[in-house]
Amino acid sequence: MSFSEKPPPGRLLLDDTVPLTAVIEASQNLQSHTEYIIRVQRGVSSDNSWQIVIVLFLFTCPQVCGISLPLPPKKLIGNMDREFIAERQRGLQTYLDSITQHPLLSNSLTVKKFLDPSNYSANYTEIALQQVSMFFRSDPKWEILEPLRDMGWRIKKKYFLVKNKELPKEKYLLSWVDLGPDKVLSDKDLQSAMKLLTSFSTPYLCPLLFSNVSESSALLIRPFNESGCLRDHICKVKPRDSYLKKYCNPKRSQGLELEQIKLYGRQILEGLKLLHDNGMFFGHLHTSNVMVEEDVCQLLEVENGILGVPSMLRATFSQLRKINTTESIDVFCFGHSLYEMTYGRPPDSVPVDQFPAGPHTSVVSVLESILSSEACKSGMPSVSALIQTPGAVSRHTSLLVLQVPSKLKEALRAAKEKLEKRLQEEQKLLHHHRRLTRAQSHHSSEEEKKRRKILARKVFGGSGLTRLCSPAGSGASSPPTCPSSPTPSSTTGGSSSCFSIHLHLYPSVCSVSMQGGSVKTV
């Protein structure tokens, strides 16, 4: 299916935030090289998996955006020895785990294309240029100044710096994005919602000047802010640099002053409350989606929710079953952003029960109410409750009202319910998978194996054997049975594709070249 085509009815668009895992299943020696067969899986369903075969010709020690990745050793003589191949395979598995578990690298196009070439081989920049060029032909007052390559984390979203010929001194940011799997509004309601967003003029929402939505994508124009987003301020980086270069391993990142945290935190909450009070939802709050200018924060890309694109933090909050409404998602994301404002970096994992020492003890209590294990189990506080936090500061009144037509409000309410239902179904599946994994791990643990051996000796030794052989009705009790291993999920019907790939590891993560192009069903 090309990007210009509308997906068939009932078909769910691919969610790019669903994690990919890669496990080496086997290796084989062919002439002068070794092939590694890797099983790649999307999410937790074993039905959604496939194989890739890689041949590693060259190992270097790449520095990917300042991150040292553990690479397998190389050897000129004896590189076909069984022990060395096993050692190299372990090193390669560690390398794959480091990439697939990294929050930024795992979502990069290079990694996605390597692990899932059938879904990520399109030239998204070229597709975006075609769409933008078609738009410019219909509205010639706009002109592209330069493409802003890899400015954002989202694979299917591209940015361009443009100008309006009628206002040649002003610069604007044009973005093109493919619609996502949570796009549930009808085309008519989506057009109405986007038209409404272009009419907003509030202190806490970044203005959207123009929008054009087709059956498969959206084109958006808003003012370009040279000062950058909140994450740029925290990491002290240039706004126009690539996303990975800026945020993978920033050298000068630093938390904000307490007064700034209070001010920015209150303004972000005011923006969220404004949306919620008017029947709208966001779901995409993070420090890259907060624009800062003259100490005023504005929520950026508020349209993402209604366009159905997945949230950056979806893989995190989908693990937490109490975060299952649009408001709880926004509160959780606010806590994530507040942590970054406080400590200069996002949390390594959530829940967080041990917060780093810092000067802002009053902020830690708010973080605990959102990110701690207790909060993640019992539920998130409301936006209104957080706004009432003592010491919060705001420069604008919160009594702002957006004029949302009642018919559109009803459509947005129905869209929220469908979005929440998909999230809850995904959380239920993840919860079942974790329970199954824990049961399998327990059953195969050394302690459990030892317990079963002891139990077996008691059952089949001495008097235990006599009890087993006692005739029915003698009053002898039945022997205890060993717990059976959990039944694994059925993989019947799942299809797996095998791709032969030659992988060269260079400082730009990896460069992948497909050879032969043959695909076979395993």
Side-chain angles (χ1 to χ4, degrees):
M1 183 185 73
S2 70
F3 265 74
S4 59
E5 295 174 350
K6 189 173 183 178
R11 175 177 173 180
L12 190 67
L13 294 172
L14 190 65
D15 187 341
D16 299 324
T17 64
V18 176
L20 298 178
T21 54
V23 177
I24 302 175
E25 292 188 323
S27 62
Q28 55 187 3
N29 294 334
L30 296 175
Q31 297 178 352
S32 61
H33 64 270
T34 304
E35 286 186 350
Y36 295 90
I37 302 170
I38 299 176
R39 169 71 57 180
V40 182
Q41 182 171 310
R42 177 178 290 105
V44 297
S45 174
S46 56
D47 290 345
N48 198 358
S49 68
W50 57 93
Q51 283 184 343
I52 59 175
V53 181
I54 65 171
V55 182
L56 292 101
F57 286 125
L58 175 67
F59 288 117
T60 61
C61 190
Q63 296 290 321
V64 183
C65 307
I67 298 176
S68 296
L69 296 177
L71 290 173
K74 60 182 179 179
K75 195 175 183 181
L76 295 178
I77 300 176
N79 58 5
M80 303 298 285
D81 294 343
R82 180 178 299 178
E83 294 78 7
F84 175 73
I85 291 174
E87 180 185 1
R88 177 178 262 192
Q89 180 171 321
R90 288 191 295 271
L92 177 58
Q93 185 63 64
T94 303
Y95 175 83
L96 291 171
D97 292 342
S98 300
I99 291 177
T100 56
Q101 295 170 14
H102 193 282
L104 299 186
L105 290 181
S106 60
N107 283 315
S108 67
L109 178 58
T110 304
V111 172
K112 294 282 192 184
K113 185 182 292 185
F114 166 52
L115 295 177
D116 188 3
S118 63
N119 282 308
Y120 292 98
S121 293
N123 188 330
Y124 300 106
T125 301
E126 183 62 31
I127 293 169
L129 281 170
Q130 292 174 2
Q131 299 286 332
V132 172
S133 298
M134 289 174 60
F135 161 70
F136 282 166
R137 284 200 291 269
S138 62
D139 195 343
K141 71 179 179 183
W142 296 100
E143 179 182 337
I144 294 181
L145 295 177
E146 62 175 294
L148 301 174
R149 299 189 182 279
D150 303 320
M151 185 178 174
W153 69 275
R154 200 178 297 281
I155 292 175
K156 299 167 187 173
K157 188 165 192 173
K158 299 301 175 182
Y159 296 90
F160 303 88
L161 192 66
V162 299
K163 73 174 183 179
N164 187 331
K165 295 177 182 178
E166 298 173 0
L167 300 168
K169 293 184 179 181
E170 300 294 328
K171 294 180 180 178
Y172 301 90
L173 182 67
L174 182 149
S175 57
W176 171 89
V177 62
D178 193 44
L179 302 184
D182 286 318
K183 185 265 178 186
V184 293
L185 287 175
S186 67
D187 292 344
K188 183 179 179 180
D189 288 333
L190 181 57
Q191 295 286 355
S192 299
M194 295 304 296
K195 184 178 180 180
L196 180 68
L197 288 176
T198 58
S199 67
F200 285 170
S201 179
T202 72
Y204 306 118
L205 304 181
C206 184
L208 182 63
L209 304 179
F210 177 85
S211 68
N212 187 322
V213 182
S214 68
E215 292 182 336
S216 61
S217 61
L219 184 147
L220 312 149
I221 299 177
R222 51 175 42 93
F224 179 72
N225 190 337
E226 291 282 0
S227 61
C229 65
L230 181 54
R231 182 166 289 179
D232 293 333
H233 286 252
I234 294 171
C235 296
K236 297 177 174 56
V237 292
K238 298 177 180 179
R240 297 195 194 188
D241 286 343
S242 73
Y243 195 86
L244 291 179
K245 181 180 179 180
K246 291 192 294 184
Y247 305 137
C248 250
N249 190 21
K251 303 297 184 184
R252 299 186 299 148
S253 61
Q254 185 178 357
L256 305 178
E257 297 295 329
L258 180 58
E259 288 305 310
Q260 280 185 310
I261 295 174
K262 289 181 178 180
L263 176 63
Y264 294 171
R266 174 61 182 268
Q267 292 173 349
I268 292 170
L269 289 171
E270 293 280 8
L272 292 177
K273 188 173 187 301
L274 183 63
L275 292 173
H276 296 171
D277 288 349
N278 289 274
M280 304 194 72
F281 53 93
F282 188 19
H284 292 261
L285 175 60
H286 51 82
T287 52
S288 295
N289 272 352
V290 178
M291 199 60 63
V292 180
E293 190 169 15
E294 297 180 356
D295 269 347
V296 176
C297 285
Q298 294 181 319
L299 300 184
L300 186 64
E301 300 192 354
V302 175
E303 70 280 354
N304 279 353
I306 61 176
L307 294 177
V309 294
S311 168
M312 172 193 280
L313 296 177
R314 184 181 179 86
T316 303
F317 60 70
S318 61
Q319 302 283 337
L320 307 168
R321 297 189 74 180
K322 286 294 183 179
I323 304 175
N324 54 16
T325 65
T326 53
E327 181 174 7
S328 63
I329 290 172
D330 283 339
V331 171
F332 174 79
C333 294
F334 171 76
H336 208 273
S337 299
L338 186 63
Y339 186 103
E340 191 171 348
M341 285 190 278
T342 305
Y343 298 110
R345 57 180 176 82
D348 295 327
S349 62
V350 180
V352 182
D353 289 320
Q354 293 293 329
F355 290 88
H360 311 319
T361 55
S362 60
V363 180
V364 172
S365 62
V366 179
L367 291 172
E368 288 175 339
S369 72
I370 302 173
L371 299 181
S372 67
S373 293
E374 182 60 30
C376 292
K377 289 178 181 178
S378 59
M380 300 286 102
S382 66
V383 170
S384 298
L386 290 171
I387 287 179
Q388 302 305 319
T389 303
V393 180
S394 181
R395 293 185 179 179
H396 299 278
T397 176
S398 60
L399 300 176
L400 296 172
V401 179
L402 305 178
Q403 299 299 323
V404 183
S406 57
K407 187 176 180 181
L408 180 57
K409 270 190 177 182
E410 179 60 27
L412 290 170
R413 185 194 61 78
K416 282 197 298 184
E417 290 178 354
K418 291 182 180 179
L419 185 152
E420 291 168 356
K421 182 179 179 181
R422 185 172 90 88
L423 174 61
Q424 291 161 15
E425 290 174 349
E426 183 178 331
Q427 290 172 329
K428 192 180 298 184
L429 180 65
L430 290 170
H431 179 69
H432 173 74
H433 174 74
R434 284 197 298 269
R435 290 182 61 187
L436 182 64
T437 302
R438 283 197 299 266
Q440 290 172 335
S441 177
H442 171 72
H443 188 69
S444 60
S445 66
E446 291 300 322
E447 183 181 349
E448 177 64 13
K449 288 178 181 178
K450 185 178 179 180
R451 191 191 70 81
R452 290 200 299 269
K453 286 181 181 178
I454 295 172
L455 182 61
R457 292 193 195 103
K458 290 181 179 179
V459 172
F460 294 105
S463 59
L465 183 59
T466 303
R467 288 195 300 271
L468 276 173
C469 298
S470 298
S474 64
S477 59
S478 300
T481 57
C482 298
S484 61
S485 59
T487 304
S489 301
S490 172
T491 58
T492 305
S495 61
S496 303
S497 299
C498 184
F499 301 91
S500 180
I501 299 177
H502 287 190
L503 170 65
H504 300 259
L505 302 177
Y506 289 110
S508 60
V509 185
C510 55
S511 92
V512 183
S513 59
M514 299 292 295
Q515 298 220 350
S518 60
V519 180
K520 63 179 180 180
T521 301
V522 177

